[in-house]
Structure formats: structure tokens, C-alpha cells
């Protein structure tokens, strides 16, 4: 991330239970200590005048980021003199980025000339060469919007620019996490609901849970609300959503957990306008520091828009052929659309459901085929999960699932902080928290599919 000038001066440990957490994620995943979630830049034109090819390349990488989707950037070489000459003939855009190694009177003289040819309201960001707090203060006094110095990174520059356009009346934007199942029935919604409960009740994190499935959503059922139509009300009034309206629509389940449930009615056709869903997510992020979005298994403009513009994506999959293919496609899509963001978080659920071990894709082979290690591996235990659902309880409230709690805490901590915590006492690449169900291949076993030419073909694909 570019820095503003600062003042000078294995072994495996086995426990009985249901979940295996992947301690290979011990290291931070690329987040810094900034609070809140990522912000997209507003619709505007951006011109960048660079002195070095390295800076031009960095800004060019910015243009492929989802946060820049509404912008119209153009990159030129020549630095400050080229900008002055260019704007003698052309109108200035909303934002101009200037790279200049100049200091002292010569820099300020050229900036005065630039100001004389800039339109009113144009913002200017300077990329300098030295960490000089005195120069930084002088530039701020002259009306420059920001002063950045190397090392530069695409995401760092974008974050700095987004701060310039932050609404002073709503300076905070909460983090948003999208839960998406690689296939229907893999438990994505169940995990989203239980992680939301874990965050609010065990980690004491204020959390919002949003059910975005207007036709088949199960949030109201899992939290024992007979009739709720929060999502439908929000979609109907998406153009005027604000803090007051969101507070009225959302259900305060506990002091720290708010829920936007869906009525799951088939009487009306679901809304497909991307702008309506974007408005809901923005409104929820303005009132909650952490929002969990339970997405249906649909692939259209609004669902892909959410998946590519949240802080984290959690993919839940089961160890079979269709899930492997879909998970691989999802991961490839997200890595291409989110080149500067952390990889999606993968949960491998329902492992060990095959009586014969060779009939199920092993954890190792699944991870190798999709190019991503699962953060959690959950064993197949349908009785306990169904009992929790029928009784309207969360999994940590069930005595039979008490060994599942460490895994939920582990993932909840990652979504809250942006990095995985290192499990204490773990010297190896994995910390095992339990059995994987009958017949399931554990992560430490080299399970190989036998006589499955289609599976073997997929497993042979390069990540």
C-alpha cells in the first residue's frame, strides 16, 4: 500500500469432533489494520500523468479492479509538465494524479501553473519520491487532495483515492462477506447463519445477516420467525433506503445480531435489478460493521456483482464431482475478477458421507484440483444438523456439536479480522479437530479415486 509521509523521528493434534481447520492459513492474507470494508470509487474520469513506467504500470493494474468499475481512467507519461501542456487545450477530469520528483519552489511554481488551467472542482493527487512530512503539509495547504510516496501498490492507491470521496456524513463502511454454495444443498446457508450467530454471541461482534434468497431463503426458519418480509420491503424501497428505514425493516434478533429475512414467497417474481441489491448491501454496510450475505445458488448480474465487490467470499462445497467442477470455476472466476483481493475462503462440508472411501474425492485431491486449500473440513453428520434446524437452534447451542464450535470460532475470527488466527500448539500445516465421518478420507490420507475416468480427468487439470 502506498504510504503517506509520517513524522520523521508439524505435528498434528487430534481431538474428537466434527471439524478440521486448516492451519496453513496462519499467516495474514494481505489485509492491513484499516477499519471497515472496501469502498468502490464513484463514477468519475481520472487522468494520471506518470514520470516512471513502473508507476504507469501500477496504475494500469488498478483499472482491472472492481473498485474502479465506475471510473474512466486514462494514463499518460510526462509528469507535471505534460499535464500542464495537455490541459491548456483540454478540460480537466474529476481527478488528476500527477507523479513528480520535484520539491521546493520549482514544484509549487508548476502546481500554480497547473491550477490556472484546471477546471473548478478538479481534485489533484501528487505521487512524490520522498517521505517528506513538511512537503506533505505544504501541499495540503495548497489544496492538493493527497500526497503518496513509494512503495506503491494498485490496491493501496485505490484505497487512498476512495478516502478522498468518502461521504463525511457517512465516513464508515462495514465489512461485507458473501456466502455462496458451489451447488445447492451443500450447507452454505446453514453455515452463514451459524457463523453470524457465532460472531454475535461468542465473539461479541455486532453483525448483520442478510438473506438474499427471496424465493427459497431459510433464515426466517432457522431463527424461528414465522412471517418476515424484510428483503422484499427493502427491494421495494431500494431507491430510498437509509439508516432509519433499514433499522425499521431489520429484525433485532439479539443485542448484537440484526437479521434481514426473506419471506420466501412464490407469489411474486423475484427482483433481478442489480442496483436494488447493491443499494441493500450499501445500506446494511452503513449501519453494521460486519454484514454476512446469504446468497442463493443463482448466477446473474446481481449475484456476480455482489460476489466481486465484497470484502470476502466464502464458498461451501461437498466432495463430489459436480462440486469440484463448480468450485474450480468459481475460484478461477473470483481470482480473475478480484486480482488484488484475498482468495475466497473454502469450506469442504459433508465429508465422509460415502461408505467406501474410494467413492469420495479426498480432501487433498479436491484442494489440488481447485487450487485452494479448505479452511474448514466438516464431517457428515446429518442427524445433528437436521435436529438443530427442527428445534430452531444454532449448532453451538447443541450439546452434540460442541466440538464443532472451535471451527466456527476459527472461521468467524477470520471474517471479523481479515486474517486466520494461528491455532495454539500447532506445529504442523494442519490442526485436526475431529473425525470426518464414516469412511471419509482425512486430509492426511492420500485417497485416490479408482476407476473414475471423469474424476481422474478433472483431478489432472492444472490449478
Amino acid at each position: 500500500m502506498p504510504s503517506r509521509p509520517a513524522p520523521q523521528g508439524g505435528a498434528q493434534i487430534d481431538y474428537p469432533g466434527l471439524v478440521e481447520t486448516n492451519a496453513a492459513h496462519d499467516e495474514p492474507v494481505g489485509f492491513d489494520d484499516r477499519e471497515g470494508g472496501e469502498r468502490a470509487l464513484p463514477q468519475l474520469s481520472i487522468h494520471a500523468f506518470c514520470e516512471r513506467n513502473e508507476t504507469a504500470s501500477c496504475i494500469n493494474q488498478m483499472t482491472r479492479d472492481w473498485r474502479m468499475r465506475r471510473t474512466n481512467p486514462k494514463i499518460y507519461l510526462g509528469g507535471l509538465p505534460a499535464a500542464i501542456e495537455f490541459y491548456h487545450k483540454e478540460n480537466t477530469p474529476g481527478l488528476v494524479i500527477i507523479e513528480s520528483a520535484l520539491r521546493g519552489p520549482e514544484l509549487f511554481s508548476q502546481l500554480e501553473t497547473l491550477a490556472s488551467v484546471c477546471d473548478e472542482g478538479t481534485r489533484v493527487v501528487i505521487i512524490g519520491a520522498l517521505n517528506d512530512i513538511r512537503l506533505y503539509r505544504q501541499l495540503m495547504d495548497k489544496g492538493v487532495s493527497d500526497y503518496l510516496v513509494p512503495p506503491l501498490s494498485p490496491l493501496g492507491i485505490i484505497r487512498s483515492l476512495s478516502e478522498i470521496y468518502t461521504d463525511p456524513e457517512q465516513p464508515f463502511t462495514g465489512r461485507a462477506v458473501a456466502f455462496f454454495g458451489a451447488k445447492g444443498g451443500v450447507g452454505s446457508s446453514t453455515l452463514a447463519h451459524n457463523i453470524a450467530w457465532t460472531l454475535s454471541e461468542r465473539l461479541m461482534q455486532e453483525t448483520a445477516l442478510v438473506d438474499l434468497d427471496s424465493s427459497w431463503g431459510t433464515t426466517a426458519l432457522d431463527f424461528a420467525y414465522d412471517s418476515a418480509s424484510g428483503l422484499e420491503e427493502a427491494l421495494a424501497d431500494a431507491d430510498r433506503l437509509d439508516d432509519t428505514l433499514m433499522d425499521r425493516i431489520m429484525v433485532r434478533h439479539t443485542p448484537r445480531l440484526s437479521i434481514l429475512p426473506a419471506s420466501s414467497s412464490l407469489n411474486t417474481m423475484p427482483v433481478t435489478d442489480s442496483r436494488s441489491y447493491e443499494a441493500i448491501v450499501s445500506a446494511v454496510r452503513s449501519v453494521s460493521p460486519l454484514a454476512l450475505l446469504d446468497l442463493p445458488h443463482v448466477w446473474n448480474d446481481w449475484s456476480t456483482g455482489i460476489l466481486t465487490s465484497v470484502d470476502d467470499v466464502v464458498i461451501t462445497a461437498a466432495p463430489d464431482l459436480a462440486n469440484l467442477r463448480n468450485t474450480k470455476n468459481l475460484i478461477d472466476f473470483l481470482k480473475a475478477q478480484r486480482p488484488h483481493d484475498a482468495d475466497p475462503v473454502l469450506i469442504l462440508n459433508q465429508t465422509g458421507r460415502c461408505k467406501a472411501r474410494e467413492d469420495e474425492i479426498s480432501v487433498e485431491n479436491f484442494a489440488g484440483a481447485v487450487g485452494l486449500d479448505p479452511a474448514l473440513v466438516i464431517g457428515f453428520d446429518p442427524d445433528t444438523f437436521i435436529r438443530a434446524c427442527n428445534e430452531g437452534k444454532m449448532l453451538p447451542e447443541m450439546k452434540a456439536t460442541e466440538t464443532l464450535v472451535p471451527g466456527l470460532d476459527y472461521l468467524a475470527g477470520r471474517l471479523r479480522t481479515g486474517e486466520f488466527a494461528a491455532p495454539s500448539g500447532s506445529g504442523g500445516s494442519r490442526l485436526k479437530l475431529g473425525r470426518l465421518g464414516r469412511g471419509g478420507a482425512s486430509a492426511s490420507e492420500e485417497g485416490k479415486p479408482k476407476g473414475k475416468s471423469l474424476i481422474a480427468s478433472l483431478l489432472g487439470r492444472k490449478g
Side-chain angles (χ1 to χ4, degrees):
M1 181 172 181
S3 54
R4 293 182 178 80
Q8 301 293 331
Q12 289 186 346
I13 307 172
D14 293 310
Y15 298 92
L18 290 169
V19 177
E20 177 182 295
T21 58
N22 189 349
H25 293 288
D26 292 357
E27 296 300 322
V29 294
F31 290 91
D32 53 20
D33 295 330
R34 64 196 296 273
E35 293 184 356
E38 298 290 347
R39 302 183 185 94
L41 286 168
Q43 185 172 354
L44 79 158
S45 295
I46 302 174
H47 290 177
F49 291 84
C50 306
E51 290 185 339
R52 301 180 305 133
N53 289 329
E54 295 84 354
T55 304
S57 175
C58 182
I59 294 177
N60 183 55
Q61 293 179 49
M62 289 168 45
T63 63
R64 298 193 293 271
D65 194 280
W66 63 265
R67 302 162 188 83
M68 299 279 290
R69 193 174 295 160
R70 295 194 185 98
T71 66
N72 179 26
K74 295 182 180 179
I75 305 171
Y76 307 92
L77 292 175
L80 190 48
I84 294 171
E85 181 180 356
F86 185 84
Y87 294 127
H88 270 297
K89 303 175 183 178
E90 302 289 340
N91 294 330
T92 52
L95 175 65
V96 179
I97 302 174
I98 304 287
E99 182 181 26
S100 177
L102 295 174
R103 302 172 67 193
E106 185 177 359
L107 171 62
F108 289 100
S109 174
Q110 291 196 26
L111 286 177
E112 289 290 342
T113 305
L114 177 66
S116 68
V117 296
C118 279
D119 300 330
E120 185 178 357
T122 297
R123 297 175 184 265
V124 176
V125 171
I126 302 295
I127 297 177
L130 296 175
N131 186 346
D132 188 335
I133 188 62
R134 183 169 176 232
L135 175 60
Y136 169 76
R137 289 169 176 165
Q138 290 175 330
L139 289 170
M140 296 303 104
D141 290 341
K142 292 291 186 180
V144 170
S145 295
D146 209 347
Y147 175 66
L148 308 177
V149 294
L152 302 171
S153 72
L155 182 54
I157 298 176
I158 293 171
R159 286 174 171 173
S160 299
L161 299 183
S162 69
E163 291 179 6
I164 297 174
Y165 292 93
T166 299
D167 185 350
E169 296 183 359
Q170 293 184 331
F172 180 78
T173 298
R175 287 174 54 79
V177 179
F179 280 74
F180 193 80
K183 188 172 176 286
V186 295
S188 177
S189 292
T190 298
L191 288 167
H193 304 167
N194 279 274
I195 292 296
W197 190 93
T198 299
L199 280 162
S200 63
E201 302 309 305
R202 291 182 55 79
L203 276 61
M204 305 303 170
Q205 168 68 54
E206 185 178 345
T207 306
L209 173 63
V210 181
D211 191 339
L212 292 173
D213 191 347
S214 60
S215 300
W216 311 104
T218 59
T219 301
L221 287 175
D222 284 354
F223 288 92
Y225 292 106
D226 292 334
S227 60
S229 57
L231 175 63
E232 289 72 20
E233 290 186 50
L235 288 171
D237 291 322
D239 292 337
R240 62 184 190 90
L241 281 178
D242 55 19
D243 295 1
T244 302
L245 183 57
M246 288 304 301
D247 187 61
R248 181 182 67 81
I249 293 176
M250 297 189 76
V251 176
R252 177 67 71 171
H253 183 69
T254 70
R256 288 177 296 273
L257 178 59
S258 298
I259 300 173
L260 185 67
S263 65
S264 303
S265 172
L266 302 183
N267 293 326
T268 57
M269 295 299 293
V271 175
T272 58
D273 183 12
S274 300
R275 292 171 297 180
S276 297
Y277 288 93
E278 182 181 342
I280 290 176
V281 175
S282 297
V284 173
R285 295 178 70 182
S286 70
V287 298
S288 177
L290 181 58
L292 270 55
L293 313 175
D294 181 10
L295 271 69
H297 187 70
V298 297
W299 197 252
N300 52 30
D301 288 344
W302 74 259
S303 63
T304 55
I306 289 177
L307 287 171
T308 55
S309 61
V310 292
D311 297 277
D312 270 311
V313 178
V314 178
I315 300 173
T316 305
D320 61 36
L321 183 60
N323 275 276
L324 186 148
R325 179 203 63 185
N326 295 354
T327 301
K328 171 68 174 172
N329 290 341
L330 276 169
I331 291 173
D332 290 347
F333 171 82
L334 291 170
K335 285 185 176 182
Q337 296 295 318
R338 297 160 55 87
H340 306 123
D341 293 87
D343 288 340
V345 177
L346 175 61
I347 301 175
L348 196 57
N349 194 17
Q350 303 175 5
T351 59
R353 61 185 178 182
C354 295
K355 292 182 179 180
R357 181 169 300 176
E358 61 270 17
D359 290 335
E360 181 173 290
I361 301 174
S362 71
V363 175
E364 297 288 355
N365 282 339
F366 195 99
V370 304
L372 185 66
D373 286 331
L376 288 182
V377 178
I378 304 177
F380 186 56
D381 186 15
D383 295 343
T384 302
F385 279 69
I386 292 173
R387 189 181 309 117
C389 179
N390 290 342
E391 294 180 8
K393 293 182 179 180
M394 294 293 104
L395 292 170
E397 298 178 288
M398 305 288 290
K399 186 175 182 180
T401 60
E402 59 186 10
T403 49
L404 176 59
V405 172
L408 296 177
D409 288 346
Y410 177 71
L411 181 57
R414 161 65 176 83
L415 301 182
R416 183 179 67 167
T417 65
E419 61 186 51
F420 286 101
S424 60
S426 172
S429 63
R430 287 184 184 272
L431 172 63
K432 289 185 67 179
L433 295 178
R435 63 180 175 83
L436 299 180
R438 66 180 190 279
S442 71
S444 61
E445 295 172 322
E446 296 293 335
K448 297 182 180 179
K450 299 179 180 179
K452 304 288 186 181
S453 60
L454 195 53
I455 293 180
S457 175
L458 276 174
L459 292 178
R461 291 167 60 183
K462 300 295 184 182

